[in-house]
Amino acid sequence: MEIKRGDMVLSGRVVYDFKLYKHAGIFDGENVIHLRGDNPGIWEAIRTATVRISNLKEFAGEDTDTLEVLPCPDDIDREEVVERAMSWVGKKFRDSTWNLFTNNCEHFSRWCMFEKAESKQLETMPSVLIEFIAHITGSYMKQVQYDEIVSELSYYYSQGLNTLC
């Protein structure tokens, strides 16, 4: 796998032996520029999340073999992608606290590449959460229950989760 300057790199994050999500960043030719917090606990990580530079091993954790690469499209200037990423190093992305739904590592990486902050992973989040819950509880839900729960979570997600909390 060849990673080029300006490509987006993704590293799977495993929770309880389940690949729950992918951490995203921009490769600068040597290192990865990504949005991340300090990790003593989830609340501290959220509060301290800033754009940082890490080597590939630090970024990927234990498993550098399973890195995925989203190549920078030919019609996008790779140098501009890296420049956009570098402009946020040491700062909170969009001067805002990390937020799963509006300001996470994928929002940052896609903004650097496409100038649009979005997270494609959030589109599949309801079904991934159901699979994760089934995994950690060891239960297997009937397809009908699964579909109903995914539908409910999708609805709440589309409403910004305000109706759920």
Side-chain angles (χ1 to χ4, degrees), residues 73-131:
D74 291 337
D75 61 336
I76 294 177
D77 185 325
R78 291 175 176 275
E79 291 307 312
E80 286 182 17
V81 172
V82 173
E83 286 173 19
R84 281 192 284 273
M86 289 297 294
S87 72
W88 285 101
V89 171
K91 304 174 192 169
K92 291 180 179 284
F93 177 53
R94 298 192 291 185
D95 300 317
S96 182
T97 303
W98 181 93
N99 181 297
L100 174 64
F101 302 102
T102 61
N103 203 48
N104 68 39
C105 59
E106 189 179 8
H107 288 102
F108 167 73
S109 298
R110 287 186 178 278
W111 177 83
C112 293
M113 188 175 283
F114 303 109
E115 295 186 85
K116 183 176 182 183
E118 62 183 355
S119 178
K120 298 289 187 179
Q121 292 181 83
L122 289 176
E123 295 171 8
T124 60
M125 187 60 71
S127 60
V128 170
L129 286 175
I130 297 302
E131 291 173 26

Side-chain angles (χ1 to χ4, degrees), residues 19-82:
K19 192 175 189 180
L20 188 58
Y21 67 97
K22 296 174 186 171
H23 185 51
I26 299 295
F27 188 66
D28 74 358
E30 276 185 50
N31 298 300
V32 181
I33 307 161
H34 58 118
L35 178 63
R36 195 195 125 201
D38 296 323
N39 234 0
I42 186 71
W43 302 118
E44 186 67 11
I46 289 170
R47 190 183 66 71
T48 62
T50 55
V51 176
R52 300 158 187 237
I53 301 174
S54 300
N55 66 42
L56 272 174
K57 186 167 176 57
E58 291 169 335
F59 172 80
E62 299 291 318
D63 202 2
T64 55
D65 295 335
T66 61
L67 277 176
E68 295 176 38
V69 177
L70 178 63
C72 184
D74 291 337
D75 61 336
I76 294 177
D77 185 325
R78 291 175 176 275
E79 291 307 312
E80 286 182 17
V81 172
V82 173

